[in-house]
Amino acid sequence: MATERIETISPPPETREEDTPAPSDLQLAVRDLMRRPPALFGFLCIAFVIVWALVPGWFSPMDPYTQNLDMALKPPGFTTPAGFTYLVGSDELGRDMLSRIIWGARVSLIVGFVAVLLSGMIGMTLGLVSGYYGGLVDTIISRIVDIALSVPFILLAMSIIAILGPSLQNVILAMAVRTWIVYARPIRGAILSAKEFEYVVGAKASGCRTPRILIRHLLPNVLSTAIVIATLYLGRMIIIEASLSFLGVGVPPPTPSWGGMLADGRSFLDTAWWLALFPGLALMFTVLGVNLLGDWIRDALDPRMKRLAD
């Protein structure tokens, strides 16, 4: 009589919690962003404008410099005999407003990002040096900060541009020369306490050179602070560029600029309202998106703010 083999099916092993891979920091950040509608709205606004700035030719229906006086001051939705529709109207020279708004995003973001990066590098460097060395070096840098704060920003920017001439590079330079102060003071205060940490004192005792201590040990302690300041001041940089262009000392025409378009539209507010409305809306939603996203980044980088937000 043949013996029967009885196969036993063992149950699948239970999944242990420690076997489940922990989510990465990026996944946690994305989940937190999806749970906050204002921050998500700000992210979408900024992403939309960045895509405009990177590939404006994909979205621009016309060349922003092409003039057609026969089509000057056409209202939004006007369709030409050839079948082209001015979705947001045309300006006093017959240029398509939508195309100029899309190309104007490139100017605003270039000025904003480059000015924030340049001023951040200057301010962080001076803040690190001032807080680490102290003494006479700290006194000199602090007095320079006080002098810079006493000069009105618009007056300083207009003076620099008047001397050097209006151009995209000079606008960025004028903004960076003044805004580095907002980085220097917080960084200096953070370094004054961070340089007394045990690992910094140990690095000094082991003979580490000063540049290595500043970059390797102290800079990571203040990097999150600098990122928060940069995100909060990016929107202000965009507003300042628009203000300078509105005053006629910013990016020179015919380069599309939201501030320049607002300046051109102020003479037609009663007859061609769309000349000022749509560039103003583009500027408003861009700065609003930057501020909302900056608030979320501040909460994400500061655990105390994150607990308050939760």
Side-chain angles (χ1 to χ4, degrees), residues 157-182:
M158 292 179 64
S159 301
I160 294 175
I161 296 174
I163 295 173
L164 301 178
S167 67
L168 183 63
Q169 296 82 358
N170 293 338
V171 170
I172 295 173
L173 177 62
M175 295 167 64
V177 164
R178 174 62 169 76
T179 52
W180 62 267
I181 306 167
V182 301

Side-chain angles (χ1 to χ4, degrees), residues 215-237:
I215 297 174
R216 180 71 179 273
H217 301 288
L218 292 178
L219 182 60
N221 287 281
V222 299
L223 194 58
S224 61
T225 302
I227 293 174
V228 170
I229 296 174
T231 55
L232 296 178
Y233 264 78
L234 176 59
R236 185 175 180 182
M237 295 292 190

Side-chain angles (χ1 to χ4, degrees), residues 198-246:
E198 294 182 357
Y199 63 88
V200 177
V201 176
K204 292 180 183 179
S206 63
C208 288
R209 301 179 63 182
T210 299
R212 179 179 176 84
I213 295 175
L214 292 175
I215 297 174
R216 180 71 179 273
H217 301 288
L218 292 178
L219 182 60
N221 287 281
V222 299
L223 194 58
S224 61
T225 302
I227 293 174
V228 170
I229 296 174
T231 55
L232 296 178
Y233 264 78
L234 176 59
R236 185 175 180 182
M237 295 292 190
I238 295 175
I239 289 288
I240 292 172
E241 182 277 325
S243 301
L244 294 175
S245 298
F246 183 84

Side-chain angles (χ1 to χ4, degrees), residues 30-206:
V30 171
R31 292 176 187 176
D32 186 61
L33 180 64
M34 298 299 293
R35 289 197 299 264
R36 301 192 181 187
L40 182 60
F41 174 77
F43 174 78
L44 294 177
C45 289
I46 296 302
F48 199 75
V49 175
I50 288 177
V51 172
W52 269 6
L54 291 177
V55 284
W58 290 5
F59 304 94
S60 175
M62 288 185 64
D63 188 336
Y65 302 99
T66 301
Q67 302 180 13
N68 186 359
L69 296 179
D70 294 333
M71 295 297 160
L73 300 178
K74 296 303 180 183
F78 178 82
T79 302
T80 65
F84 177 77
T85 302
Y86 291 95
L87 295 179
V88 296
S90 62
D91 64 3
E92 69 277 9
L93 297 178
R95 297 172 295 190
D96 181 46
M97 284 295 298
L98 179 59
S99 301
R100 291 184 62 79
I101 291 173
I102 292 174
W103 281 89
R106 169 172 289 187
V107 173
S108 296
L109 290 188
I110 287 177
V111 172
F113 279 110
V114 176
V116 163
L117 180 62
L118 184 58
S119 61
M121 293 174 60
I122 298 173
M124 289 179 63
T125 301
L126 293 179
L128 282 168
V129 172
S130 176
Y132 180 77
Y133 284 102
L136 181 60
V137 174
D138 184 26
T139 301
I140 294 175
I141 294 177
S142 298
R143 296 297 78 78
I144 294 175
V145 170
D146 294 336
I147 294 172
L149 284 173
S150 65
V151 180
F153 176 75
I154 293 296
L155 178 61
L156 177 62
M158 292 179 64
S159 301
I160 294 175
I161 296 174
I163 295 173
L164 301 178
S167 67
L168 183 63
Q169 296 82 358
N170 293 338
V171 170
I172 295 173
L173 177 62
M175 295 167 64
V177 164
R178 174 62 169 76
T179 52
W180 62 267
I181 306 167
V182 301
Y183 297 89
R185 281 196 164 180
I187 299 301
R188 171 187 173 273
I191 293 299
L192 287 175
S193 59
K195 70 178 183 179
E196 303 298 334
F197 292 163
E198 294 182 357
Y199 63 88
V200 177
V201 176
K204 292 180 183 179
S206 63

